[in-house]
Amino acid sequence: MAKKVAVIGAGVSGLSSIKCCLDENLEPTCFERTSDFGGLWKFADTSEDGMTRVYRSLVTNVCKEMSCYSDFPFREDYPNFMSHEKFWDYLREFAEHFGLLRYIRFKTTVLSVTKRPDFSETGQWDVVTETEGKRDRAVFDAVMVCTGQFLSPHLPLESFPGIHKFKGQILHSQEYRIPDAFRGKRILVVGLGNTGGDIAVELSEIAAQVFLSTRTGTWVLSRSSPGGYPFNMIQTRWLNFLVRVLPSRFINWTHERKMNKILNHENYGLSIAKGKKPKFIVNDELPTCILCGKVTMKTSVKDFTESSVIFEDGTTEANIDVVIFTTGYEFSFPFFEEPLKSLCTKKIILYKRVFPPNLERATLAIIGLISLNGSILVGTEFQARWATRVFKGLCSIPPSQKLMAEATKTEQLIKRGVIKDTSQDKLDFITYMDELTQCIGAKPSIPLLFIKDPRLAWEVFFGPCTPYQYRLVGPGRWDG
């Protein structure tokens, strides 16, 4: 009899998980609290439902060839970078092509996920759900949590002195959908990530003035590379190899020089603050908006008054109407009991960012709780491909005693300052994909490929590291 798997959430991670369950002849049941699939990619005009959604003007920042499911390419007529509507259409096509929708129970909230009394022998879970006021309980052989990392806004108002004196409008980017309500206003955007840059650029078209505050600065990338190809397409195994073997100081110096040759970041108020870790955003229009005076870069906020903002560099901006915080999100697992609830929020101790270390049976997987310098969609697919094969017994992970010992040691080293907490850092896309696919035998062997098919090996090593590479060998490989 097929093992029953509960999948919590029908966003990108959930669709990946349902598909991978079916590939391994498992029996998935997906619980989605809203009335549609797609998660944050399903646009809504308002934020009244409390769900995190894309804003109307959003355009993807990873090109289509690098952000598709490995066995379901985008249609040829889709643009390289697309609006959220186009991306959601792709998810719909994927779900319909593989018949995933019939496994989703919409308007169903998961209330609790608890280990059964015989968990140490069976690895089974009790899952309690609620659908339009009616509760249900079911037993599952495994659980895949696909709720993502954008559940609730991170709004650290206590870190901003005087914010409670401010008389203007305060909101988090989660509430932002369209710019119309901000016409003619003086707006401060706090936080310079991809969202902060996008919102500042869009508002600059209709606002009286936009100020963009950053503590760290950032490197600004364009969607196109110097040769005109999408910039993600230069993400190759060859460059990844160089980054790993060359000294990091040389790599950083080379990259800094290259970025400043394209755009002198210091002149634009974007340079990385001293002592801060370099980060990157993708924005084609921000430099032009700064150049035209539509967006004014500011340092971090020092204090608020009733209508003004004082910045760390001593400057003050008066008559601010709106403050938009683009300060990220928090995630949680309210349906778990302690200590599992707390353990799952610590990304760095999850085994390969997927499996909690404290379970006697590896029947719980956290899918999509990752940050990558590449496509999250692709990451969720490979996490799910590996997790479902672990559930089926085709792959194994170390015993919980060993994983807990390693997790405890890691936490102690971080506390003592011996190693850095990298849980908030973006993982290297190629390295992480190789790590996951090696577990299932889907990582291509470059030396072997050079013997069998030198031309293909050349493309795999020196060409873009597309998801399709992981269908050359192993389970689910393409014929031919």
Side-chain angles (χ1 to χ4, degrees):
M1 191 171 79
K3 287 187 174 182
K4 295 182 178 181
V5 181
V7 178
I8 305 175
V12 166
S13 304
L15 295 178
S16 300
S17 298
I18 298 170
K19 164 67 164 51
C20 291
C21 282
L22 297 176
D23 288 344
E24 297 298 338
N25 295 315
L26 303 175
E27 187 179 317
T29 302
C30 179
F31 302 107
E32 169 56 44
R33 60 176 171 162
T34 69
S35 59
D36 213 336
F37 64 91
L40 60 84
W41 289 99
K42 182 61 179 176
F43 176 75
D45 289 317
T46 69
S47 58
E48 293 175 0
D49 60 0
M51 296 288 293
T52 301
R53 312 271 191 182
V54 293
Y55 36 94
R56 188 175 64 187
S57 62
L58 185 139
V59 175
T60 58
N61 56 22
V62 181
C63 68
K64 66 177 183 179
E65 300 296 351
M66 301 292 285
S67 62
C68 62
Y69 292 107
S70 63
D71 58 351
F72 194 75
F74 280 93
R75 292 206 319 258
E76 192 174 341
D77 62 337
Y78 273 44
N80 280 294
F81 298 96
M82 61 200 75
S83 66
H84 64 81
E85 294 103 333
K86 279 280 187 185
F87 191 83
W88 189 84
D89 285 342
Y90 169 73
L91 295 180
R92 175 182 53 77
E93 291 165 5
F94 174 76
E96 291 176 351
H97 179 80
F98 292 107
L100 308 183
L101 298 182
R102 65 175 175 268
Y103 298 97
I104 305 174
R105 296 184 186 176
F106 293 107
K107 297 183 180 179
T108 301
T109 301
V110 175
L111 302 179
S112 69
V113 177
T114 54
K115 293 191 286 187
R116 287 182 58 78
D118 58 353
F119 180 84
S120 57
E121 286 81 37
T122 65
Q124 291 182 326
W125 300 83
D126 276 320
V127 178
V128 178
T129 58
E130 183 175 84
T131 308
E132 298 180 336
K134 182 181 178 182
R135 293 199 175 190
D136 187 34
R137 180 187 297 270
V139 176
F140 289 91
D141 299 296
V143 176
M144 304 178 81
V145 179
C146 306
T147 50
Q149 52 191 335
F150 304 105
L151 285 182
S152 55
H154 175 58
L155 194 56
L157 296 182
E158 67 283 352
S159 301
F160 295 89
I163 187 68
H164 298 295
K165 294 184 290 185
F166 182 67
K167 300 294 186 182
Q169 182 183 2
I170 298 172
L171 67 152
H172 188 274
S173 55
Q174 187 204 41
E175 303 171 65
Y176 182 84
R177 294 290 187 275
I178 56 177
D180 303 11
F182 302 98
R183 183 175 299 277
K185 297 187 176 182
R186 287 170 60 82
I187 302 167
L188 170 65
V189 178
V190 179
L192 181 50
N194 283 308
T195 300
D198 284 351
I199 290 176
V201 166
E202 182 172 46
L203 289 175
S204 71
E205 294 297 320
I206 64 167
Q209 184 61 49
V210 175
F211 304 95
L212 181 52
S213 169
T214 174
R215 290 183 299 111
T216 61
T218 186
W219 297 117
V220 180
L221 298 172
S222 171
R223 286 180 172 82
S224 62
S225 65
Y229 286 100
F231 82 98
N232 311 107
M233 300 293 277
I234 63 173
Q235 203 166 21
T236 67
R237 292 182 179 278
W238 165 241
L239 287 180
N240 185 259
F241 170 75
L242 291 180
V243 168
R244 284 188 284 114
V245 299
L246 293 175
S248 59
R249 291 182 69 178
F250 174 75
I251 293 293
N252 292 337
W253 175 81
T254 304
H255 190 271
E256 182 176 337
R257 194 173 174 202
K258 180 181 177 182
M259 293 298 298
N260 279 325
K261 191 174 181 180
I262 299 170
L263 174 76
N264 189 316
H265 284 63
E266 186 174 357
N267 290 347
Y268 284 74
L270 295 165
S271 57
I272 304 294
K274 191 173 182 179
K276 299 295 184 181
K277 189 166 181 137
K279 67 175 187 177
F280 308 86
I281 67 168
V282 179
N283 198 303
D284 299 290
E285 299 167 291
L286 180 59
T288 303
C289 289
I290 296 171
L291 203 61
C292 297
K294 293 180 177 182
V295 174
T296 301
M297 294 303 303
K298 306 297 293 186
T299 58
S300 57
V301 174
K302 183 179 181 181
D303 199 4
F304 282 91
T305 68
E306 289 188 357
S307 61
S308 302
V309 183
I310 303 166
F311 297 92
E312 288 290 349
D313 63 358
T315 59
T316 300
E317 296 295 342
N319 303 316
I320 299 296
D321 300 300
V322 183
V323 178
I324 302 176
F325 286 92
T326 62
T327 45
Y329 293 85
E330 296 173 346
F331 54 88
S332 60
F333 304 97
F335 38 76
F336 286 145
E337 296 179 319
E338 294 291 0
L340 187 59
K341 182 189 291 188
S342 298
L343 277 173
C344 288
T345 62
K346 299 176 181 178
K347 295 183 188 180
I348 201 165
I349 68 172
L350 294 177
Y351 182 61
K352 298 191 187 298
R353 305 294 171 102
V354 175
F355 288 101
N358 65 325
L359 299 175
E360 310 96 293
R361 299 279 179 173
T363 56
L364 171 65
I366 311 297
I367 307 297
L369 195 63
I370 47 172
S371 295
L372 295 170
N373 63 356
S375 170
I376 299 294
L377 178 148
V378 179
T380 67
E381 180 196 351
F382 294 145
Q383 286 183 328
R385 285 176 69 182
W386 176 45
T388 50
R389 290 181 71 78
V390 171
F391 296 159
K392 200 173 180 182
L394 299 174
C395 298
S396 61
I397 68 172
S400 61
Q401 297 91 335
K402 182 178 179 180
L403 294 180
M404 277 304 295
E406 290 176 353
T408 303
K409 182 180 178 181
T410 299
E411 288 190 302
Q412 289 174 347
L413 291 174
I414 290 173
K415 193 175 292 185
R416 286 160 46 195
V418 177
I419 62 173
K420 291 183 179 180
D421 183 356
T422 59
S423 57
Q424 301 304 315
D425 294 351
K426 289 190 175 184
L427 300 173
D428 179 73
F429 177 78
I430 296 177
T431 302
Y432 187 59
M433 296 305 98
D434 280 354
E435 188 179 337
L436 292 177
T437 52
Q438 189 168 26
C439 295
I440 63 174
K443 177 189 171 185
S445 169
I446 305 300
L448 194 60
L449 272 180
F450 266 112
I451 295 171
K452 289 185 173 181
D453 191 335
R455 184 179 175 184
L456 177 60
W458 181 273
E459 293 296 332
V460 168
F461 190 66
F462 292 103
C465 187
T466 62
Y468 319 131
Q469 290 193 8
Y470 300 99
R471 291 286 176 177
L472 294 174
V473 296
R477 65 182 176 273
W478 281 343
D479 295 329

